[in-house]
Amino acid sequence: MTSSSKKKATIYDLSVLSGSSPSTVSAVLNGTWQKRRIKESTAELIRNLAETHQYTANRQARGLRSSRSGLIGLLLPIHDNRYFSSMAQTFEAHVRSKGQCPIVVSASRDPKEERKTAETLISYSIDELFICGATDPDGVHEVCEAAGLKHINIDLPGTKAPSVISDNYEGGRMLTEAIIRHFQATGPLEPHELYLFGGRNDHASRERIRGFRAVKNELLGADPDECIQPTGYAPNNARLAFEAFYEKHGKLPRGLFVNSSINFEGLLRFMAGHPHENFADLVVGCYDYDPFASFLPFPVIMIRQDVEGMITKAFDVIEEARPQPRIHLIQPELVQPRTALTGPLDALKDIE
Amino acid sequence: MTSSSKKKATIYDLSVLSGSSPSTVSAVLNGTWQKRRIKESTAELIRNLAETHQYTANRQARGLRSSRSGLIGLLLPIHDNRYFSSMAQTFEAHVRSKGQCPIVVSASRDPKEERKTAETLISYSIDELFICGATDPDGVHEVCEAAGLKHINIDLPGTKAPSVISDNYEGGRMLTEAIIRHFQATGPLEPHELYLFGGRNDHASRERIRGFRAVKNELLGADPDECIQPTGYAPNNARLAFEAFYEKHGKLPRGLFVNSSINFEGLLRFMAGHPHENFADLVVGCYDYDPFASFLPFPVIMIRQDVEGMITKAFDVIEEARPQPRIHLIQPELVQPRTALTGPLDALKDIE
DNA sequence: AGTTCTTGCACCATCGATTGTGCAAACAAG
DNA sequence: CTTGTTTGCACAATCGATGGTGCAAGAACT
């Protein structure tokens, strides 16, 4: 019934109502009115009209004219995982605090999909793009470069744009060492009793594996190749790998380095089909943190990547005038079993 | 060095190159060229030019003219939770398959933030809005209505727009009954030994509580008020409630109905500060599914809401010509302890 | 009173695509 | 050869906001 039942008000509507020109209205409502020497009283009038008519600028029009949209994009491999979802949560908070609009999209770890998604985002004139965990960061870089779009890699590095990533080598070392030390009470571990499952041939996995092997050599004196099982990230592939091992040896290795919480889900699927007791002496290290996983009935040592630190650093770097394509390492954190850490959610107020 | 080093190509650039008018180029590239009786050979020429110059339409311009953007929005309370992140994952897949662009944003369960976020999305001319778990769905409705934007509620219902939600009453009943039955082997449960923690005064919590109380009455013969502890959704508030109970009674109730996985994190935080053995006879029912939680050292019975079903239904309903503001109930699923279900991730291929 | 500033705003082109309309050239019909 | 018809496209307005430029009215100054 009110004016709200009509279509959205534009500066032209307000121009008619206020008796001033559209450009005056525009200037008043986007804050450049002082520069244009608009009278305070005129501004006041227009501001009131805008208020009562619930004016909000059409950002497509603004973006078209100014070739900036106010959108900042985050390209994720997937949503459904605590690591990436906390990335999204943290990213949003940062973008909001800059007064811009976050837009989070996933591309399923598919290089083609990654490029296509970047293209799409670019066609909406996003202002910056954060490329997180991309399978082919340099491919996405080409697309961004061609469009003159500022961008940065997170989690997995590229060679042509700056990257902010976890120190996966150090993290891999920490985690491996923690697993080994955990057995010092019960009984020393043999080299072939500590396996790594999951991950694929990406930078993060390679670095973690490098750390894993180095520490095994240092502490256990050997590092057999067969202890490395990069099964990819799909839970079911990881499950099959565990099944195969179990089939062959009648048990799991006592020590497991699981490359991500997604792979860990593969371990759960395996376990669901086997009696509980088979895993009495199991110790798992997982390169990711999930609060529930931390409380499982066997010791689970986890790595929490410093998402807040990475996002903060990424914003710093992307703001630089001429960001160099170098890699910034962020230290991850070792989390002992049965630890419930706070996360980005704790920053939110809980109403009522 | 190539044309890619310049700015993005427009229909005007292609118009010059091809010797035809911008409108012809536009028609060819957006598929309406048959209707405009453009010669096949002309179309072919333009298509090739577009290809070699990597033309992609500026969607802000297109959106401005056609007042449609190709964007479909999902408004979430938070990202960092398996329920909502699987919602995002599923939503994305659906939107992609319709050839549109998903845009997922969270609003922190804050009614003001919800409305502001909806406003922002509207200013980008999104085509549809899925409002998931909003604290004030009717407030968001007003905003959408004023802009003539199609919208639908998910997870928490509103009174003015169609809603697709879980059957929380039935889910609450199922979960409560499963908890009680779990004690039949060990020893029957007294009414005051089964508590509900978490949630607040929202529709979902109310329905679950209603189911909880009904089943307690039916099976245990009583339903004391003090067994209902709606602590809100913040993990720390839940933790404090558990601490308080423990302080007073020296133990936790044997049976716990936890209203969401976020509240469950509060229980973990509590447990981190207390010895393992205190929870030997504990049975937890959690209204949410998380694969890791399902394998905790005490029996955890979970409810998995049918996210795929809800999203599918929501798309059906929003596509209707005149969607009615009624509520569509989707049945959730009871998940026994130590169960690793597949999720939206399993639909993705794992390259390498 | 005449000149020069300053104030306060209006005008208009522009961003890139869409779409209703108009109109030549080619062709067919009479 | 004249009068329709069809084919194939060009023209121009439009979406809503932005920002450079220009200009009248009033103030300040000589």
Side-chain angles (χ1 to χ4, degrees), chain A residues 11-12 23 26 30 36 55 62 65:
Chain A
I11 54 169
Y12 297 95
S23 58
S26 170
N30 71 23
R36 286 182 160 270
Y55 169 85
R62 169 182 295 171
R65 183 59 229 258

Side-chain angles (χ1 to χ4, degrees), chain A residues 5 13 21 91-92 96 112 157 171-172 188 197 269 271 302 329:
Chain A
S5 62
D13 301 332
S21 75
F91 172 77
E92 276 211 356
R96 294 288 182 87
K112 244 190 250 138
F197 281 86
R269 293 183 191 182
M271 289 181 163
M302 311 197 88
L329 289 181

Side-chain angles (χ1 to χ4, degrees), chain A residues 77-139:
Chain A
I78 56 168
H79 282 283
D80 192 12
N81 163 279
R82 292 297 294 264
Y83 175 48
F84 293 120
S85 63
S86 71
M87 192 75 82
Q89 190 82 43
T90 307
F91 172 77
E92 276 211 356
H94 278 252
V95 175
R96 294 288 182 87
S97 77
K98 297 199 343 170
Q100 303 203 253
C101 182
I103 150 167
V104 181
V105 193
S106 77
S108 321
R109 290 191 208 284
D110 175 349
K112 244 190 250 138
E113 192 67 33
E114 286 168 358
R115 272 201 299 278
K116 222 191 74 190
T117 304
E119 289 278 16
T120 303
L121 293 177
I122 287 169
S123 74
Y124 287 109
S125 303
I126 60 168
D127 298 335
E128 294 169 8
L129 180 59
F130 290 65
I131 304 158
C132 177
T135 297
D136 178 21
D138 287 342

Side-chain angles (χ1 to χ4, degrees), chain B residues 85-345:
Chain B
S85 63
S86 70
M87 192 75 83
Q89 191 81 42
T90 307
F91 171 78
E92 276 210 358
H94 278 252
V95 175
R96 294 287 182 91
S97 75
K98 299 200 337 169
Q100 305 203 253
C101 182
I103 150 167
V104 181
V105 193
S106 76
S108 321
R109 289 190 208 285
D110 175 349
K112 242 188 251 141
E113 192 67 33
E114 287 168 359
R115 274 202 298 278
K116 221 190 76 192
T117 304
E119 289 277 17
T120 303
L121 293 177
I122 287 169
S123 73
Y124 287 109
S125 304
I126 60 169
D127 298 334
E128 295 169 9
L129 180 59
F130 289 65
I131 304 157
C132 178
T135 297
D136 178 20
D138 288 342
V140 180
H141 162 88
E142 303 292 355
V143 172
C144 295
E145 183 72 5
L149 175 62
K150 292 174 91 166
H151 57 291
I152 191 166
N153 300 307
I154 301 185
D155 186 54
L156 284 178
T159 63
K160 303 181 174 172
S163 305
V164 177
I165 64 173
S166 268
D167 188 341
N168 286 298
Y169 175 70
E170 201 46 54
R173 288 190 59 102
M174 282 163 48
L175 187 54
T176 310
E177 186 174 339
I179 298 170
I180 294 173
R181 296 227 182 284
H182 207 279
F183 280 101
Q184 279 179 337
T186 50
L189 209 58
E190 296 297 318
H192 66 272
E193 290 181 309
L194 177 54
Y195 269 63
L196 181 150
F197 281 86
R200 55 159 100 150
N201 186 26
D202 55 46
H203 183 275
S205 298
R206 284 196 306 271
E207 286 295 290
R208 293 170 196 172
I209 290 172
R210 199 162 66 83
F212 175 80
R213 302 191 79 143
V215 169
K216 271 189 78 172
N217 262 312
E218 292 166 21
L219 298 185
L220 303 184
D223 162 36
D225 285 340
E226 72 266 23
C227 296
I228 309 290
Q229 305 264 340
T231 60
Y233 284 116
N236 262 348
N237 288 349
R239 179 180 66 78
L240 292 175
F242 290 118
E243 296 285 7
F245 187 98
Y246 189 83
E247 200 65 37
K248 190 163 164 195
H249 300 89
K251 56 175 183 180
L252 287 187
R254 290 200 296 159
L256 283 181
F257 182 122
V258 180
N259 206 337
S260 81
S261 63
I262 312 181
N263 292 129
F264 202 161
E265 287 194 43
L267 179 56
L268 293 183
R269 292 184 191 182
F270 165 81
M271 288 179 163
H274 296 268
H276 211 154
E277 302 70 37
N278 286 4
F279 317 115
D281 60 348
L282 182 65
V283 174
V284 173
C286 175
Y287 207 105
D288 261 339
Y289 171 70
D290 181 293
F292 294 103
S294 184
F295 284 80
L296 287 172
F298 41 85
V300 178
I301 307 162
M302 310 198 87
I303 290 282
R304 178 159 75 165
Q305 308 192 48
D306 182 2
V307 168
E308 175 67 39
M310 293 169 73
I311 294 282
T312 303
K313 184 72 184 174
F315 272 96
D316 286 352
V317 172
I318 208 171
E319 245 54 278
E320 288 172 12
R322 260 303 285 131
Q324 299 305 309
R326 50 174 295 250
I327 292 182
H328 304 264
L329 289 181
I330 304 289
Q331 292 309 310
E333 169 191 7
L334 189 73
V335 182
Q336 293 300 330
R338 291 178 46 79
T339 307
L341 298 175
T342 60
L345 292 187

